[in-house]
Short mmCIF file of all heavy atoms in Angstrom, two decimals:
data_model
loop_
_atom_site.label_atom_id
_atom_site.label_comp_id
_atom_site.label_asym_id
_atom_site.label_seq_id
_atom_site.Cartn_x
_atom_site.Cartn_y
_atom_site.Cartn_z
N LEU A 706 12.94 -1.66 -13.41
CA LEU A 706 13.29 -3.00 -12.94
C LEU A 706 13.39 -3.90 -14.17
O LEU A 706 12.41 -4.08 -14.90
CB LEU A 706 12.21 -3.54 -11.98
CG LEU A 706 12.35 -3.17 -10.49
CD1 LEU A 706 12.44 -1.67 -10.27
CD2 LEU A 706 11.19 -3.76 -9.70
N GLY A 707 14.57 -4.47 -14.40
CA GLY A 707 14.77 -5.34 -15.56
C GLY A 707 13.97 -6.63 -15.45
O GLY A 707 13.43 -6.97 -14.39
N VAL A 708 13.95 -7.34 -16.55
CA VAL A 708 13.16 -8.57 -16.66
C VAL A 708 13.53 -9.54 -15.52
O VAL A 708 14.70 -9.72 -15.18
CB VAL A 708 13.38 -9.21 -18.06
CG1 VAL A 708 14.85 -9.51 -18.33
CG2 VAL A 708 12.54 -10.45 -18.24
N GLY A 709 12.52 -10.09 -14.88
CA GLY A 709 12.74 -11.11 -13.87
C GLY A 709 13.30 -10.62 -12.54
O GLY A 709 13.78 -11.43 -11.74
N THR A 710 13.21 -9.34 -12.26
CA THR A 710 13.65 -8.81 -10.95
C THR A 710 12.72 -9.26 -9.84
O THR A 710 11.51 -9.36 -10.04
CB THR A 710 13.62 -7.26 -11.01
OG1 THR A 710 14.56 -6.82 -11.97
CG2 THR A 710 13.96 -6.65 -9.66
N SER A 711 13.28 -9.51 -8.65
CA SER A 711 12.45 -9.77 -7.46
C SER A 711 12.81 -8.76 -6.38
O SER A 711 13.98 -8.40 -6.22
CB SER A 711 12.71 -11.17 -6.90
OG SER A 711 12.40 -12.15 -7.86
N VAL A 712 11.82 -8.34 -5.62
CA VAL A 712 12.04 -7.38 -4.52
C VAL A 712 11.35 -7.93 -3.28
O VAL A 712 10.15 -8.23 -3.33
CB VAL A 712 11.49 -5.98 -4.87
CG1 VAL A 712 11.86 -4.99 -3.76
CG2 VAL A 712 12.00 -5.50 -6.22
N ILE A 713 12.12 -8.06 -2.17
CA ILE A 713 11.53 -8.65 -0.97
C ILE A 713 10.65 -7.62 -0.24
O ILE A 713 10.70 -6.42 -0.53
CB ILE A 713 12.61 -9.23 -0.02
CG1 ILE A 713 13.44 -8.13 0.63
CG2 ILE A 713 13.50 -10.24 -0.74
CD1 ILE A 713 14.28 -8.63 1.81
N PRO A 714 9.83 -8.09 0.72
CA PRO A 714 8.84 -7.20 1.36
C PRO A 714 9.47 -5.99 2.06
O PRO A 714 10.61 -6.05 2.54
CB PRO A 714 8.17 -8.10 2.40
CG PRO A 714 8.37 -9.49 1.91
CD PRO A 714 9.69 -9.49 1.19
N GLU A 715 8.69 -4.93 2.10
CA GLU A 715 9.01 -3.72 2.87
C GLU A 715 10.34 -3.10 2.44
O GLU A 715 11.11 -2.63 3.28
CB GLU A 715 8.99 -4.03 4.36
CG GLU A 715 7.61 -4.47 4.80
CD GLU A 715 7.50 -4.82 6.27
OE1 GLU A 715 8.43 -4.50 7.01
OE2 GLU A 715 6.48 -5.42 6.63
N THR A 716 10.59 -3.12 1.15
CA THR A 716 11.84 -2.57 0.59
C THR A 716 11.51 -1.35 -0.26
O THR A 716 10.46 -1.31 -0.90
CB THR A 716 12.51 -3.65 -0.28
OG1 THR A 716 12.68 -4.82 0.51
CG2 THR A 716 13.86 -3.21 -0.79
N ILE A 717 12.43 -0.40 -0.27
CA ILE A 717 12.24 0.81 -1.08
C ILE A 717 13.31 0.87 -2.17
O ILE A 717 14.51 0.81 -1.87
CB ILE A 717 12.34 2.09 -0.21
CG1 ILE A 717 11.28 2.08 0.90
CG2 ILE A 717 12.22 3.34 -1.07
CD1 ILE A 717 11.45 3.19 1.93
N VAL A 718 12.87 0.96 -3.41
CA VAL A 718 13.77 1.20 -4.54
C VAL A 718 13.56 2.66 -4.93
O VAL A 718 12.46 3.05 -5.33
CB VAL A 718 13.46 0.25 -5.71
CG1 VAL A 718 14.34 0.57 -6.92
CG2 VAL A 718 13.65 -1.22 -5.29
N GLY A 719 14.60 3.47 -4.78
CA GLY A 719 14.44 4.91 -4.94
C GLY A 719 14.13 5.35 -6.36
O GLY A 719 14.25 4.58 -7.32
N ALA A 720 13.79 6.62 -6.47
CA ALA A 720 13.44 7.21 -7.77
C ALA A 720 14.60 7.06 -8.75
O ALA A 720 15.77 7.20 -8.38
CB ALA A 720 13.09 8.67 -7.58
N TRP A 721 14.27 6.79 -10.01
CA TRP A 721 15.21 6.74 -11.13
C TRP A 721 16.34 5.73 -10.91
O TRP A 721 17.42 5.86 -11.49
CB TRP A 721 15.76 8.14 -11.46
CG TRP A 721 14.66 9.11 -11.70
CD1 TRP A 721 14.24 10.08 -10.83
CD2 TRP A 721 13.79 9.17 -12.83
NE1 TRP A 721 13.15 10.75 -11.38
CE2 TRP A 721 12.85 10.21 -12.60
CE3 TRP A 721 13.69 8.44 -14.03
CZ2 TRP A 721 11.85 10.55 -13.51
CZ3 TRP A 721 12.69 8.79 -14.92
CH2 TRP A 721 11.80 9.82 -14.67
N CYS A 722 16.10 4.73 -10.10
CA CYS A 722 17.05 3.61 -9.98
C CYS A 722 16.91 2.68 -11.18
O CYS A 722 15.87 2.65 -11.85
CB CYS A 722 16.73 2.78 -8.73
SG CYS A 722 17.27 3.54 -7.20
N THR A 723 17.95 1.87 -11.41
CA THR A 723 17.88 0.78 -12.39
C THR A 723 18.24 -0.50 -11.66
O THR A 723 19.25 -0.55 -10.94
CB THR A 723 18.88 1.00 -13.54
OG1 THR A 723 18.52 2.20 -14.23
CG2 THR A 723 18.87 -0.17 -14.52
N VAL A 724 17.43 -1.52 -11.83
CA VAL A 724 17.72 -2.83 -11.25
C VAL A 724 17.94 -3.79 -12.41
O VAL A 724 17.06 -3.94 -13.28
CB VAL A 724 16.57 -3.32 -10.34
CG1 VAL A 724 16.93 -4.67 -9.73
CG2 VAL A 724 16.27 -2.30 -9.24
N GLY A 725 19.11 -4.43 -12.47
CA GLY A 725 19.46 -5.28 -13.61
C GLY A 725 18.57 -6.52 -13.70
O GLY A 725 18.01 -6.99 -12.70
N ALA A 726 18.50 -7.04 -14.91
CA ALA A 726 17.69 -8.23 -15.18
C ALA A 726 18.06 -9.37 -14.23
O ALA A 726 19.24 -9.60 -13.96
CB ALA A 726 17.90 -8.67 -16.62
#
Side-chain angles (χ1 to χ4, degrees):
L706 273 55
V708 58
T710 296
S711 300
V712 185
I713 70 166
E715 297 179 13
T716 305
I717 300 171
V718 176
W721 306 104
C722 283
T723 297
V724 181

